[in-house]
Every structure is written in C-alpha cells, then in structure tokens.
Amino acid sequence: MMTASRQPTGCAPAYETEYEAGTEQSLAVTISEALATVEGTDPWEIEPLYDVIDFDAVERLFQRDDDIAGPMTLTFGIDEWNVHIHGDGSIEVYEAVRPADLSATVGNVVGD
C-alpha cells in the first residue's frame, strides 16, 4: 500500500528509527530490530520478515534516481504492528488496531 500520509490519524508511533541505503545494515535488519524493540524480544525471535515482504524490491523502489512526484511511503502489517517506511529513510512502527490477516487481502485481490 503506497500512501502520502505521514502519520495515521490519532496515534503516535510505538517506535521510530532511520534507515540509510548503502550502509552495511540492511532494511530488513533495521525493521527486525525495530519490531523486536517494541515486542521486548530479540530480533531472531520475531516472525521472519521475508515471509511478509520482499525487501530487495522495497530497497530498489526507494533507491530510484528518477523524479517521483511527492513523498513516498510503503506500509505493511505484521502481527499486531503496522510498519511505515518513508522515502527519507525514516521508519515508524505503530500498534495495529487488529492483527494483520494477509490471507483475506490476498483472497480479495485475486478473487478467490
């Protein structure tokens, strides 16, 4: 889901961090550490993020050199969290209103 909204209405992020493309730490590791922080656990104990989102594609999207109109934000849900990745490298983790159920979304998209 791509959106220009910077922050969901009426709530503050549970955690904020920054990602800098081209550094040794990957986007996936940065987000894993953010999710582990809000869950109070170690990064290797959370659900593998590669099961939820293709980080290679996300990193390519945000590293584009062409002129993209307006700010860019990618949002995805995992368990009880919504993660917002912004084009400027900022990452925000919000508590979701309800846990993410991707099977319902996929079924609706493909018409099952």
Side-chain angles (χ1 to χ4, degrees), residues 59-74:
E59 287 179 347
R60 285 192 307 272
L61 177 66
F62 283 98
Q63 292 175 355
R64 292 175 54 174
D65 291 330
D66 57 354
D67 293 325
I68 299 175
M72 192 170 19
T73 299
L74 176 74

Side-chain angles (χ1 to χ4, degrees), residues 7 9 14-15 17-18 21-22 26 36 39 47-48 53 60-62 71 77 86 99 107-108:
Q7 177 175 333
T9 305
Y15 188 78
T17 189
E18 296 285 327
S26 71
E39 290 187 0
E47 179 181 349
I53 191 166
R60 285 192 307 272
L61 177 66
F62 283 98
H86 302 284
N108 289 336

Side-chain angles (χ1 to χ4, degrees), residues 10 14 20 23 35 37 44-45 56 67 80 89 92 97-98 108:
E20 187 174 332
T23 61
L35 289 168
T37 298
W44 56 85
E45 293 180 9
D56 294 331
D67 293 325
E80 66 270 1
E92 300 163 333
V97 175
R98 59 184 169 202
N108 289 336

Side-chain angles (χ1 to χ4, degrees), residues 2-96:
M2 298 297 277
T3 176
S5 174
R6 184 67 177 166
Q7 177 175 333
T9 305
C11 64
Y15 188 78
E16 296 177 87
T17 189
E18 296 285 327
Y19 167 71
E20 187 174 332
T23 61
E24 289 186 23
Q25 182 164 310
S26 71
L27 178 60
V29 169
T30 302
I31 293 174
S32 293
E33 289 176 352
L35 289 168
T37 298
V38 296
E39 290 187 0
T41 190
D42 293 315
W44 56 85
E45 293 180 9
I46 64 170
E47 179 181 349
L49 295 178
Y50 282 99
D51 291 345
V52 177
I53 191 166
D54 181 348
F55 281 101
D56 294 331
V58 173
E59 287 179 347
R60 285 192 307 272
L61 177 66
F62 283 98
Q63 292 175 355
R64 292 175 54 174
D65 291 330
D66 57 354
D67 293 325
I68 299 175
M72 192 170 19
T73 299
L74 176 74
T75 300
F76 70 93
I78 181 168
D79 297 327
E80 66 270 1
W81 305 104
N82 288 327
V83 178
H84 301 267
I85 308 167
H86 302 284
D88 65 1
S90 62
I91 298 169
E92 300 163 333
V93 178
Y94 291 88
E95 187 171 359

